[in-house]
Amino acid sequence: GAGVSQSPSNKVTEKGKDVELRCDPISGHTALYWYRQRLGQGLEFLIYFQGNSAPDKSGLPSDRFSAERTGESVSTLTIQRTQQEDSAVYLCASSRVGSYNEQFFGPGTRLTVL
Amino acid sequence: SQQGEEDPQALSIQEGENATMNCSYKTSINNLQWYRQNSGRGLVHLILIRSNEREKHSGRLRVTLDTSKKSSSLLITASRAADTASYFCATDDNYGQNFVFGPGTRLSVLP
């Protein structure tokens, strides 16, 4: 594919349920990032994968959040026992490794927790 | 508090005018990037400036970086209605990690 894709584009869930969000990075991009964007706010870094290195999880807001990445391909972000404050757009980005780090963003998944 | 903070938070100008947005940050950076986000869409990368660069141009965009003041500015010349969007600056640390985005500047270009 030409760009980063994410699924689903929209997800409505009930408080307390688990959700899984998917990201397909651009082929050949070894770095993958997850961000959260609450309504009217800037992006909040969540987690960063780089090749086979241990991911940088420093941005995950709580232990209800986790993410996995299979090799240098698909990543899933899982939110357990969702809360209303988890409602946001979750953006995924990928980039090549190098000094430029230009990130290419997917369209995002809009999560609404009722 | 956030590493990258843009100001103003909102800017409204007439088509044809120039728009200037500023970004300040707190710690040492590797790169600073500017992104645009149209309403309901994903982010689009505009321009990247390295910490050892002072100015970069791309079309109608001009970005400056002052590492002594820990600030950057994005100038859009001869603005168009299609430039209406939110603009974010993002910084990464000296290891090229820990990307932090500011809250953005909402630019409205009126026809």
Side-chain angles (χ1 to χ4, degrees), chain A residues 33 35 37 40-45 48 56 58 89 91 95 98-108 110, chain B residues 2 30-31 33 35 37 40-45 48 50 56 88 92 96-104 106:
Chain A
Y33 317 80
Y35 298 90
Q37 185 178 28
Q41 298 188 29
L43 294 184
E44 179 185 358
F45 168 77
Y48 164 62
D56 175 2
S58 60
V89 175
L91 288 160
S95 75
S99 61
Y100 283 96
N101 292 320
E102 180 185 347
Q103 297 178 55
F104 294 80
F105 282 80
R110 182 175 300 278
Chain B
Q2 298 185 83
N30 185 37
N31 301 305
Q33 305 179 50
Y35 289 84
Q37 186 179 34
R41 307 288 291 274
L43 287 167
V44 173
H45 180 265
L48 179 149
R50 299 164 113 176
K56 280 189 89 167
F88 296 88
D92 56 15
Q97 298 181 30
N98 294 323
F99 294 91
V100 181
F101 285 77
R106 292 183 300 283

Side-chain angles (χ1 to χ4, degrees), chain B residues 15-79:
Chain B
E15 208 165 22
E17 294 180 338
N18 295 341
T20 299
M21 290 161 273
N22 301 299
C23 169
S24 60
Y25 57 93
K26 294 181 170 56
T27 60
S28 296
I29 63 170
N30 185 37
N31 301 305
L32 186 144
Q33 305 179 50
W34 284 91
Y35 289 84
R36 181 184 71 218
Q37 186 179 34
N38 290 82
S39 180
R41 307 288 291 274
L43 287 167
V44 173
H45 180 265
L46 295 177
I47 199 164
L48 179 149
I49 187 165
R50 299 164 113 176
S51 59
N52 62 355
E53 297 177 312
R54 292 296 165 261
E55 187 171 314
K56 280 189 89 167
H57 297 253
S58 177
R60 292 184 297 112
L61 306 180
R62 182 170 78 94
V63 169
T64 62
L65 178 64
D66 187 335
T67 53
S68 66
K69 295 181 180 177
K70 292 187 168 58
S71 68
S72 173
S73 67
L74 170 66
L75 168 67
I76 303 174
T77 60
S79 63

Side-chain angles (χ1 to χ4, degrees), chain A residues 1-111:
Chain A
V4 178
S5 61
Q6 291 185 245
S7 61
S9 55
N10 280 284
K11 176 71 177 178
V12 180
T13 190
E14 294 179 347
K15 179 182 173 181
K17 295 284 180 68
D18 297 351
V19 295
E20 196 171 274
L21 312 179
R22 178 187 168 107
C23 171
D24 282 88
I26 292 172
S27 179
H29 283 191
T30 57
L32 186 146
Y33 317 80
W34 282 99
Y35 298 90
R36 177 172 69 180
Q37 185 178 28
R38 291 194 166 114
L39 186 64
Q41 298 188 29
L43 294 184
E44 179 185 358
F45 168 77
L46 297 178
I47 188 168
Y48 164 62
F49 294 91
Q50 173 46 51
N52 295 320
S53 303
D56 175 2
K57 303 180 180 180
S58 60
L60 294 178
S62 77
D63 59 8
R64 296 187 296 104
F65 287 73
S66 63
E68 300 292 331
R69 186 179 187 195
T70 306
E72 294 183 352
S73 59
V74 172
S75 175
T76 55
L77 176 69
T78 301
I79 308 174
Q80 296 177 308
R81 306 181 300 283
T82 52
Q83 304 294 315
Q84 288 184 325
E85 62 262 27
D86 299 334
S87 295
V89 175
Y90 289 82
L91 288 160
C92 173
S94 69
S95 75
R96 296 184 186 280
V97 174
S99 61
Y100 283 96
N101 292 320
E102 180 185 347
Q103 297 178 55
F104 294 80
F105 282 80
T109 293
R110 182 175 300 278
L111 174 66

